[in-house]
PDB file of all heavy atoms in Angstrom:
ATOM      1  N   ARG N 697       8.150  16.060 -55.121  1.00 70.00           N
ATOM      2  CA  ARG N 697       7.116  15.359 -55.880  1.00 70.00           C
ATOM      3  C   ARG N 697       5.817  16.170 -55.917  1.00 70.00           C
ATOM      4  O   ARG N 697       5.143  16.238 -56.950  1.00 70.00           O
ATOM      5  CB  ARG N 697       6.847  13.971 -55.279  1.00 70.00           C
ATOM      6  CG  ARG N 697       7.982  12.976 -55.467  1.00 70.00           C
ATOM      7  CD  ARG N 697       8.272  12.707 -56.927  1.00 70.00           C
ATOM      8  NE  ARG N 697       7.121  12.141 -57.628  1.00 70.00           N
ATOM      9  CZ  ARG N 697       6.905  10.835 -57.785  1.00 70.00           C
ATOM     10  NH1 ARG N 697       7.777   9.962 -57.292  1.00 70.00           N
ATOM     11  NH2 ARG N 697       5.834  10.410 -58.432  1.00 70.00           N
ATOM     12  N   MET N 698       5.486  16.797 -54.795  1.00 67.00           N
ATOM     13  CA  MET N 698       4.283  17.621 -54.722  1.00 67.00           C
ATOM     14  C   MET N 698       4.391  18.813 -55.677  1.00 67.00           C
ATOM     15  O   MET N 698       3.440  19.174 -56.374  1.00 67.00           O
ATOM     16  CB  MET N 698       4.044  18.102 -53.301  1.00 67.00           C
ATOM     17  CG  MET N 698       3.701  17.013 -52.311  1.00 67.00           C
ATOM     18  SD  MET N 698       2.004  16.434 -52.458  1.00 67.00           S
ATOM     19  CE  MET N 698       1.119  17.792 -51.700  1.00 67.00           C
ATOM     20  N   ASP N 699       5.575  19.416 -55.703  1.00 64.00           N
ATOM     21  CA  ASP N 699       5.794  20.565 -56.600  1.00 64.00           C
ATOM     22  C   ASP N 699       5.669  20.149 -58.063  1.00 64.00           C
ATOM     23  O   ASP N 699       5.109  20.882 -58.891  1.00 64.00           O
ATOM     24  CB  ASP N 699       7.162  21.176 -56.341  1.00 64.00           C
ATOM     25  CG  ASP N 699       7.244  21.885 -54.992  1.00 64.00           C
ATOM     26  OD1 ASP N 699       6.188  22.152 -54.402  1.00 64.00           O
ATOM     27  OD2 ASP N 699       8.369  22.137 -54.532  1.00 64.00           O
ATOM     28  N   GLN N 700       6.221  18.986 -58.363  1.00 62.00           N
ATOM     29  CA  GLN N 700       6.212  18.510 -59.760  1.00 62.00           C
ATOM     30  C   GLN N 700       4.800  18.201 -60.241  1.00 62.00           C
ATOM     31  O   GLN N 700       4.497  18.323 -61.430  1.00 62.00           O
ATOM     32  CB  GLN N 700       7.086  17.254 -59.883  1.00 62.00           C
ATOM     33  CG  GLN N 700       8.568  17.545 -59.694  1.00 62.00           C
ATOM     34  CD  GLN N 700       9.404  16.267 -59.608  1.00 62.00           C
ATOM     35  OE1 GLN N 700       8.861  15.170 -59.395  1.00 62.00           O
ATOM     36  NE2 GLN N 700      10.710  16.403 -59.780  1.00 62.00           N
ATOM     37  N   THR N 701       3.945  17.775 -59.341  1.00 62.00           N
ATOM     38  CA  THR N 701       2.574  17.382 -59.708  1.00 62.00           C
ATOM     39  C   THR N 701       1.537  18.403 -59.257  1.00 62.00           C
ATOM     40  O   THR N 701       0.337  18.139 -59.321  1.00 62.00           O
ATOM     41  CB  THR N 701       2.236  16.019 -59.106  1.00 62.00           C
ATOM     42  OG1 THR N 701       2.321  16.084 -57.682  1.00 62.00           O
ATOM     43  CG2 THR N 701       3.181  14.956 -59.606  1.00 62.00           C
ATOM     44  N   ARG N 702       2.025  19.571 -58.774  1.00 64.00           N
ATOM     45  CA  ARG N 702       1.132  20.630 -58.294  1.00 64.00           C
ATOM     46  C   ARG N 702       0.172  20.113 -57.223  1.00 64.00           C
ATOM     47  O   ARG N 702      -1.012  20.456 -57.216  1.00 64.00           O
ATOM     48  CB  ARG N 702       0.361  21.244 -59.455  1.00 64.00           C
ATOM     49  CG  ARG N 702       1.279  21.953 -60.470  1.00 64.00           C
ATOM     50  CD  ARG N 702       0.499  22.682 -61.508  1.00 64.00           C
ATOM     51  NE  ARG N 702       1.388  23.388 -62.447  1.00 64.00           N
ATOM     52  CZ  ARG N 702       0.992  24.151 -63.440  1.00 64.00           C
ATOM     53  NH1 ARG N 702      -0.319  24.326 -63.655  1.00 64.00           N
ATOM     54  NH2 ARG N 702       1.867  24.748 -64.233  1.00 64.00           N
ATOM     55  N   GLY N 703       0.708  19.310 -56.337  1.00 61.00           N
ATOM     56  CA  GLY N 703      -0.074  18.826 -55.197  1.00 61.00           C
ATOM     57  C   GLY N 703      -0.929  17.605 -55.459  1.00 61.00           C
ATOM     58  O   GLY N 703      -1.600  17.132 -54.553  1.00 61.00           O
ATOM     59  N   LYS N 704      -0.892  17.090 -56.677  1.00 67.00           N
ATOM     60  CA  LYS N 704      -1.681  15.897 -57.008  1.00 67.00           C
ATOM     61  C   LYS N 704      -0.762  14.736 -57.317  1.00 67.00           C
ATOM     62  O   LYS N 704      -0.323  14.554 -58.453  1.00 67.00           O
ATOM     63  CB  LYS N 704      -2.594  16.213 -58.216  1.00 67.00           C
ATOM     64  CG  LYS N 704      -3.577  17.356 -57.945  1.00 67.00           C
ATOM     65  CD  LYS N 704      -4.415  17.649 -59.174  1.00 67.00           C
ATOM     66  CE  LYS N 704      -5.376  18.806 -58.909  1.00 67.00           C
ATOM     67  NZ  LYS N 704      -6.203  19.127 -60.106  1.00 67.00           N
ATOM     68  N   LEU N 705      -0.487  13.935 -56.302  1.00 63.00           N
ATOM     69  CA  LEU N 705       0.498  12.875 -56.444  1.00 63.00           C
ATOM     70  C   LEU N 705       0.026  11.738 -57.346  1.00 63.00           C
ATOM     71  O   LEU N 705       0.820  11.150 -58.072  1.00 63.00           O
ATOM     72  CB  LEU N 705       0.837  12.313 -55.043  1.00 63.00           C
ATOM     73  CG  LEU N 705       1.695  13.218 -54.144  1.00 63.00           C
ATOM     74  CD1 LEU N 705       1.901  12.540 -52.793  1.00 63.00           C
ATOM     75  CD2 LEU N 705       3.037  13.514 -54.787  1.00 63.00           C
ATOM     76  N   GLY N 706      -1.250  11.412 -57.292  1.00 65.00           N
ATOM     77  CA  GLY N 706      -1.709  10.259 -58.053  1.00 65.00           C
ATOM     78  C   GLY N 706      -1.250   8.972 -57.377  1.00 65.00           C
ATOM     79  O   GLY N 706      -0.568   8.966 -56.348  1.00 65.00           O
ATOM     80  N   TRP N 707      -1.640   7.853 -57.981  1.00 55.00           N
ATOM     81  CA  TRP N 707      -1.301   6.558 -57.358  1.00 55.00           C
ATOM     82  C   TRP N 707       0.208   6.313 -57.318  1.00 55.00           C
ATOM     83  O   TRP N 707       0.742   5.823 -56.328  1.00 55.00           O
ATOM     84  CB  TRP N 707      -1.997   5.418 -58.101  1.00 55.00           C
ATOM     85  CG  TRP N 707      -3.478   5.377 -57.838  1.00 55.00           C
ATOM     86  CD1 TRP N 707      -4.490   5.710 -58.688  1.00 55.00           C
ATOM     87  CD2 TRP N 707      -4.099   5.021 -56.605  1.00 55.00           C
ATOM     88  NE1 TRP N 707      -5.707   5.581 -58.079  1.00 55.00           N
ATOM     89  CE2 TRP N 707      -5.499   5.150 -56.774  1.00 55.00           C
ATOM     90  CE3 TRP N 707      -3.623   4.619 -55.348  1.00 55.00           C
ATOM     91  CZ2 TRP N 707      -6.421   4.878 -55.767  1.00 55.00           C
ATOM     92  CZ3 TRP N 707      -4.529   4.335 -54.342  1.00 55.00           C
ATOM     93  CH2 TRP N 707      -5.919   4.466 -54.554  1.00 55.00           C
ATOM     94  N   ALA N 708       0.899   6.651 -58.404  1.00 62.00           N
ATOM     95  CA  ALA N 708       2.351   6.432 -58.438  1.00 62.00           C
ATOM     96  C   ALA N 708       3.055   7.276 -57.391  1.00 62.00           C
ATOM     97  O   ALA N 708       3.963   6.804 -56.698  1.00 62.00           O
ATOM     98  CB  ALA N 708       2.895   6.776 -59.827  1.00 62.00           C
ATOM     99  N   GLY N 709       2.617   8.512 -57.245  1.00 59.00           N
ATOM    100  CA  GLY N 709       3.230   9.382 -56.240  1.00 59.00           C
ATOM    101  C   GLY N 709       2.953   8.926 -54.831  1.00 59.00           C
ATOM    102  O   GLY N 709       3.820   8.986 -53.962  1.00 59.00           O
ATOM    103  N   LYS N 710       1.742   8.464 -54.595  1.00 59.00           N
ATOM    104  CA  LYS N 710       1.405   7.980 -53.261  1.00 59.00           C
ATOM    105  C   LYS N 710       2.171   6.712 -52.916  1.00 59.00           C
ATOM    106  O   LYS N 710       2.614   6.526 -51.774  1.00 59.00           O
ATOM    107  CB  LYS N 710      -0.109   7.718 -53.172  1.00 59.00           C
ATOM    108  CG  LYS N 710      -0.933   8.981 -53.233  1.00 59.00           C
ATOM    109  CD  LYS N 710      -2.422   8.686 -53.229  1.00 59.00           C
ATOM    110  CE  LYS N 710      -3.234   9.973 -53.314  1.00 59.00           C
ATOM    111  NZ  LYS N 710      -4.697   9.720 -53.361  1.00 59.00           N
ATOM    112  N   PHE N 711       2.370   5.847 -53.908  1.00 53.00           N
ATOM    113  CA  PHE N 711       3.156   4.635 -53.678  1.00 53.00           C
ATOM    114  C   PHE N 711       4.604   4.995 -53.388  1.00 53.00           C
ATOM    115  O   PHE N 711       5.233   4.429 -52.494  1.00 53.00           O
ATOM    116  CB  PHE N 711       3.074   3.739 -54.919  1.00 53.00           C
ATOM    117  CG  PHE N 711       3.818   2.441 -54.757  1.00 53.00           C
ATOM    118  CD1 PHE N 711       3.353   1.449 -53.901  1.00 53.00           C
ATOM    119  CD2 PHE N 711       4.991   2.204 -55.463  1.00 53.00           C
ATOM    120  CE1 PHE N 711       4.040   0.247 -53.757  1.00 53.00           C
ATOM    121  CE2 PHE N 711       5.689   1.012 -55.318  1.00 53.00           C
ATOM    122  CZ  PHE N 711       5.211   0.037 -54.460  1.00 53.00           C
ATOM    123  N   ASP N 712       5.112   5.970 -54.139  1.00 62.00           N
ATOM    124  CA  ASP N 712       6.473   6.463 -53.896  1.00 62.00           C
ATOM    125  C   ASP N 712       6.617   7.032 -52.491  1.00 62.00           C
ATOM    126  O   ASP N 712       7.621   6.811 -51.799  1.00 62.00           O
ATOM    127  CB  ASP N 712       6.862   7.519 -54.925  1.00 62.00           C
ATOM    128  CG  ASP N 712       8.234   8.097 -54.689  1.00 62.00           C
ATOM    129  OD1 ASP N 712       9.221   7.350 -54.825  1.00 62.00           O
ATOM    130  OD2 ASP N 712       8.325   9.299 -54.377  1.00 62.00           O
ATOM    131  N   ALA N 713       5.598   7.782 -52.039  1.00 63.00           N
ATOM    132  CA  ALA N 713       5.631   8.361 -50.706  1.00 63.00           C
ATOM    133  C   ALA N 713       5.642   7.278 -49.631  1.00 63.00           C
ATOM    134  O   ALA N 713       6.306   7.412 -48.587  1.00 63.00           O
ATOM    135  CB  ALA N 713       4.426   9.280 -50.496  1.00 63.00           C
ATOM    136  N   LEU N 714       4.903   6.179 -49.880  1.00 63.00           N
ATOM    137  CA  LEU N 714       4.903   5.061 -48.937  1.00 63.00           C
ATOM    138  C   LEU N 714       6.273   4.426 -48.839  1.00 63.00           C
ATOM    139  O   LEU N 714       6.708   4.021 -47.740  1.00 63.00           O
ATOM    140  CB  LEU N 714       3.865   4.019 -49.349  1.00 63.00           C
ATOM    141  CG  LEU N 714       2.396   4.368 -49.097  1.00 63.00           C
ATOM    142  CD1 LEU N 714       1.500   3.295 -49.728  1.00 63.00           C
ATOM    143  CD2 LEU N 714       2.126   4.485 -47.599  1.00 63.00           C
ATOM    144  N   LEU N 715       6.962   4.343 -49.955  1.00 63.00           N
ATOM    145  CA  LEU N 715       8.278   3.704 -49.977  1.00 63.00           C
ATOM    146  C   LEU N 715       9.380   4.622 -49.433  1.00 63.00           C
ATOM    147  O   LEU N 715      10.296   4.162 -48.747  1.00 63.00           O
ATOM    148  CB  LEU N 715       8.641   3.279 -51.391  1.00 63.00           C
ATOM    149  CG  LEU N 715       7.868   2.118 -51.997  1.00 63.00           C
ATOM    150  CD1 LEU N 715       8.332   1.862 -53.425  1.00 63.00           C
ATOM    151  CD2 LEU N 715       8.041   0.845 -51.148  1.00 63.00           C
ATOM    152  N   ASN N 716       9.281   5.910 -49.753  1.00 71.00           N
ATOM    153  CA  ASN N 716      10.390   6.829 -49.462  1.00 71.00           C
ATOM    154  C   ASN N 716      10.027   7.947 -48.495  1.00 71.00           C
ATOM    155  O   ASN N 716      10.805   8.874 -48.331  1.00 71.00           O
ATOM    156  CB  ASN N 716      10.886   7.444 -50.771  1.00 71.00           C
ATOM    157  CG  ASN N 716      11.367   6.407 -51.758  1.00 71.00           C
ATOM    158  OD1 ASN N 716      12.321   5.699 -51.504  1.00 71.00           O
ATOM    159  ND2 ASN N 716      10.676   6.315 -52.890  1.00 71.00           N
ATOM    160  N   GLY N 717       8.876   7.848 -47.863  1.00 78.00           N
ATOM    161  CA  GLY N 717       8.474   8.930 -46.974  1.00 78.00           C
ATOM    162  C   GLY N 717       7.787   8.480 -45.717  1.00 78.00           C
ATOM    163  O   GLY N 717       6.890   9.169 -45.197  1.00 78.00           O
ATOM    164  N   ARG N 718       8.189   7.343 -45.188  1.00 88.00           N
ATOM    165  CA  ARG N 718       7.494   6.821 -44.017  1.00 88.00           C
ATOM    166  C   ARG N 718       7.687   7.678 -42.780  1.00 88.00           C
ATOM    167  O   ARG N 718       6.764   7.900 -42.010  1.00 88.00           O
ATOM    168  CB  ARG N 718       7.953   5.382 -43.746  1.00 88.00           C
ATOM    169  CG  ARG N 718       7.352   4.352 -44.707  1.00 88.00           C
ATOM    170  CD  ARG N 718       7.924   2.978 -44.508  1.00 88.00           C
ATOM    171  NE  ARG N 718       9.301   2.921 -44.936  1.00 88.00           N
ATOM    172  CZ  ARG N 718      10.073   1.815 -44.854  1.00 88.00           C
ATOM    173  NH1 ARG N 718       9.589   0.734 -44.319  1.00 88.00           N
ATOM    174  NH2 ARG N 718      11.319   1.847 -45.263  1.00 88.00           N
ATOM    175  N   LEU N 719       8.905   8.195 -42.594  1.00 91.00           N
ATOM    176  CA  LEU N 719       9.129   9.073 -41.426  1.00 91.00           C
ATOM    177  C   LEU N 719       8.377  10.389 -41.600  1.00 91.00           C
ATOM    178  O   LEU N 719       7.793  10.918 -40.662  1.00 91.00           O
ATOM    179  CB  LEU N 719      10.632   9.350 -41.259  1.00 91.00           C
ATOM    180  CG  LEU N 719      11.437   8.370 -40.407  1.00 91.00           C
ATOM    181  CD1 LEU N 719      12.857   8.882 -40.250  1.00 91.00           C
ATOM    182  CD2 LEU N 719      10.805   8.151 -39.059  1.00 91.00           C
ATOM    183  N   ALA N 720       8.410  10.916 -42.810  1.00 90.00           N
ATOM    184  CA  ALA N 720       7.720  12.167 -43.067  1.00 90.00           C
ATOM    185  C   ALA N 720       6.212  12.009 -42.806  1.00 90.00           C
ATOM    186  O   ALA N 720       5.563  12.883 -42.241  1.00 90.00           O
ATOM    187  CB  ALA N 720       7.956  12.630 -44.502  1.00 90.00           C
ATOM    188  N   ALA N 721       5.659  10.860 -43.222  1.00 88.00           N
ATOM    189  CA  ALA N 721       4.244  10.598 -42.996  1.00 88.00           C
ATOM    190  C   ALA N 721       3.964  10.435 -41.490  1.00 88.00           C
ATOM    191  O   ALA N 721       2.947  10.925 -41.002  1.00 88.00           O
ATOM    192  CB  ALA N 721       3.820   9.348 -43.750  1.00 88.00           C
ATOM    193  N   ARG N 722       4.864   9.763 -40.821  1.00 92.00           N
ATOM    194  CA  ARG N 722       4.668   9.526 -39.380  1.00 92.00           C
ATOM    195  C   ARG N 722       4.607  10.838 -38.612  1.00 92.00           C
ATOM    196  O   ARG N 722       3.829  10.973 -37.657  1.00 92.00           O
ATOM    197  CB  ARG N 722       5.808   8.668 -38.846  1.00 92.00           C
ATOM    198  CG  ARG N 722       5.748   8.435 -37.344  1.00 92.00           C
ATOM    199  CD  ARG N 722       6.804   7.469 -36.885  1.00 92.00           C
ATOM    200  NE  ARG N 722       6.753   7.270 -35.433  1.00 92.00           N
ATOM    201  CZ  ARG N 722       7.497   6.378 -34.783  1.00 92.00           C
ATOM    202  NH1 ARG N 722       8.334   5.602 -35.443  1.00 92.00           N
ATOM    203  NH2 ARG N 722       7.379   6.271 -33.483  1.00 92.00           N
ATOM    204  N   TYR N 723       5.406  11.800 -39.013  1.00 94.00           N
ATOM    205  CA  TYR N 723       5.508  13.057 -38.259  1.00 94.00           C
ATOM    206  C   TYR N 723       4.780  14.224 -38.945  1.00 94.00           C
ATOM    207  O   TYR N 723       5.028  15.379 -38.625  1.00 94.00           O
ATOM    208  CB  TYR N 723       6.966  13.440 -38.077  1.00 94.00           C
ATOM    209  CG  TYR N 723       7.742  12.467 -37.192  1.00 94.00           C
ATOM    210  CD1 TYR N 723       8.815  11.741 -37.702  1.00 94.00           C
ATOM    211  CD2 TYR N 723       7.414  12.304 -35.856  1.00 94.00           C
ATOM    212  CE1 TYR N 723       9.522  10.865 -36.911  1.00 94.00           C
ATOM    213  CE2 TYR N 723       8.137  11.428 -35.047  1.00 94.00           C
ATOM    214  CZ  TYR N 723       9.182  10.708 -35.592  1.00 94.00           C
ATOM    215  OH  TYR N 723       9.897   9.835 -34.782  1.00 94.00           O
ATOM    216  N   GLN N 724       3.871  13.914 -39.860  1.00 91.00           N
ATOM    217  CA  GLN N 724       3.230  14.992 -40.615  1.00 91.00           C
ATOM    218  C   GLN N 724       2.402  15.928 -39.713  1.00 91.00           C
ATOM    219  O   GLN N 724       2.214  17.101 -40.045  1.00 91.00           O
ATOM    220  CB  GLN N 724       2.349  14.411 -41.704  1.00 91.00           C
ATOM    221  CG  GLN N 724       1.209  13.535 -41.222  1.00 91.00           C
ATOM    222  CD  GLN N 724       0.382  12.989 -42.372  1.00 91.00           C
ATOM    223  OE1 GLN N 724       0.054  13.720 -43.296  1.00 91.00           O
ATOM    224  NE2 GLN N 724       0.067  11.704 -42.336  1.00 91.00           N
ATOM    225  N   ASN N 725       1.923  15.439 -38.590  1.00 95.00           N
ATOM    226  CA  ASN N 725       1.164  16.267 -37.665  1.00 95.00           C
ATOM    227  C   ASN N 725       1.896  16.496 -36.347  1.00 95.00           C
ATOM    228  O   ASN N 725       1.286  16.957 -35.371  1.00 95.00           O
ATOM    229  CB  ASN N 725      -0.205  15.645 -37.384  1.00 95.00           C
ATOM    230  CG  ASN N 725      -1.066  15.545 -38.638  1.00 95.00           C
ATOM    231  OD1 ASN N 725      -1.153  16.515 -39.399  1.00 95.00           O
ATOM    232  ND2 ASN N 725      -1.681  14.405 -38.873  1.00 95.00           N
ATOM    233  N   ALA N 726       3.176  16.188 -36.321  1.00 97.00           N
ATOM    234  CA  ALA N 726       3.969  16.293 -35.089  1.00 97.00           C
ATOM    235  C   ALA N 726       4.683  17.626 -35.003  1.00 97.00           C
ATOM    236  O   ALA N 726       4.757  18.380 -35.975  1.00 97.00           O
ATOM    237  CB  ALA N 726       4.994  15.164 -35.043  1.00 97.00           C
ATOM    238  N   THR N 727       5.175  17.927 -33.825  1.00 98.00           N
ATOM    239  CA  THR N 727       6.043  19.093 -33.633  1.00 98.00           C
ATOM    240  C   THR N 727       7.478  18.633 -33.825  1.00 98.00           C
ATOM    241  O   THR N 727       7.797  17.438 -33.748  1.00 98.00           O
ATOM    242  CB  THR N 727       5.887  19.691 -32.232  1.00 98.00           C
ATOM    243  OG1 THR N 727       6.351  18.743 -31.256  1.00 98.00           O
ATOM    244  CG2 THR N 727       4.424  20.042 -31.951  1.00 98.00           C
ATOM    245  N   ILE N 728       8.377  19.584 -34.022  1.00 97.00           N
ATOM    246  CA  ILE N 728       9.782  19.193 -34.176  1.00 97.00           C
ATOM    247  C   ILE N 728      10.332  18.662 -32.859  1.00 97.00           C
ATOM    248  O   ILE N 728      11.234  17.804 -32.869  1.00 97.00           O
ATOM    249  CB  ILE N 728      10.635  20.383 -34.695  1.00 97.00           C
ATOM    250  CG1 ILE N 728      12.038  19.900 -35.087  1.00 97.00           C
ATOM    251  CG2 ILE N 728      10.709  21.484 -33.667  1.00 97.00           C
ATOM    252  CD1 ILE N 728      12.063  18.806 -36.137  1.00 97.00           C
ATOM    253  N   ALA N 729       9.767  19.086 -31.740  1.00 98.00           N
ATOM    254  CA  ALA N 729      10.207  18.529 -30.447  1.00 98.00           C
ATOM    255  C   ALA N 729       9.909  17.043 -30.369  1.00 98.00           C
ATOM    256  O   ALA N 729      10.717  16.254 -29.857  1.00 98.00           O
ATOM    257  CB  ALA N 729       9.517  19.260 -29.300  1.00 98.00           C
ATOM    258  N   GLN N 730       8.776  16.623 -30.904  1.00 98.00           N
ATOM    259  CA  GLN N 730       8.428  15.202 -30.898  1.00 98.00           C
ATOM    260  C   GLN N 730       9.371  14.399 -31.798  1.00 98.00           C
ATOM    261  O   GLN N 730       9.713  13.264 -31.472  1.00 98.00           O
ATOM    262  CB  GLN N 730       6.969  15.040 -31.343  1.00 98.00           C
ATOM    263  CG  GLN N 730       5.968  15.569 -30.332  1.00 98.00           C
ATOM    264  CD  GLN N 730       4.547  15.585 -30.851  1.00 98.00           C
ATOM    265  OE1 GLN N 730       4.282  15.995 -31.994  1.00 98.00           O
ATOM    266  NE2 GLN N 730       3.596  15.131 -30.033  1.00 98.00           N
ATOM    267  N   VAL N 731       9.771  15.001 -32.909  1.00 98.00           N
ATOM    268  CA  VAL N 731      10.733  14.330 -33.784  1.00 98.00           C
ATOM    269  C   VAL N 731      12.054  14.135 -33.056  1.00 98.00           C
ATOM    270  O   VAL N 731      12.635  13.043 -33.040  1.00 98.00           O
ATOM    271  CB  VAL N 731      10.957  15.136 -35.073  1.00 98.00           C
ATOM    272  CG1 VAL N 731      12.075  14.514 -35.914  1.00 98.00           C
ATOM    273  CG2 VAL N 731       9.666  15.214 -35.886  1.00 98.00           C
ATOM    274  N   LEU N 732      12.550  15.212 -32.425  1.00 98.00           N
ATOM    275  CA  LEU N 732      13.830  15.128 -31.735  1.00 98.00           C
ATOM    276  C   LEU N 732      13.771  14.189 -30.541  1.00 98.00           C
ATOM    277  O   LEU N 732      14.770  13.540 -30.212  1.00 98.00           O
ATOM    278  CB  LEU N 732      14.290  16.520 -31.296  1.00 98.00           C
ATOM    279  CG  LEU N 732      14.576  17.529 -32.417  1.00 98.00           C
ATOM    280  CD1 LEU N 732      15.241  18.778 -31.844  1.00 98.00           C
ATOM    281  CD2 LEU N 732      15.436  16.908 -33.496  1.00 98.00           C
TER     282      LEU N 732
END
C-alpha cells in the first residue's frame, strides 16, 4: 500500500492498515527477537 501511494496512505490507507496491519503496527519499533 505504501508503494502504491508513494508513502502517503491517506485516510483510506490508514483505515486499511488498522484493519489489516495490527501486528505490523504493534511491532513497528520492535526487534525480530521480540516478535519471536
Side-chain angles (χ1 to χ4, degrees):
R697 290 299 299 267
M698 293 284 285
D699 290 344
Q700 292 171 344
T701 60
R702 296 187 178 182
K704 299 178 181 179
L705 288 178
W707 287 109
K710 292 176 181 178
F711 182 70
D712 177 66
L714 285 173
L715 290 178
N716 301 297
R718 285 174 290 179
L719 272 185
R722 176 174 180 174
Y723 294 117
Q724 62 180 316
N725 297 314
T727 66
I728 190 58
Q730 291 172 315
V731 174
L732 296 190

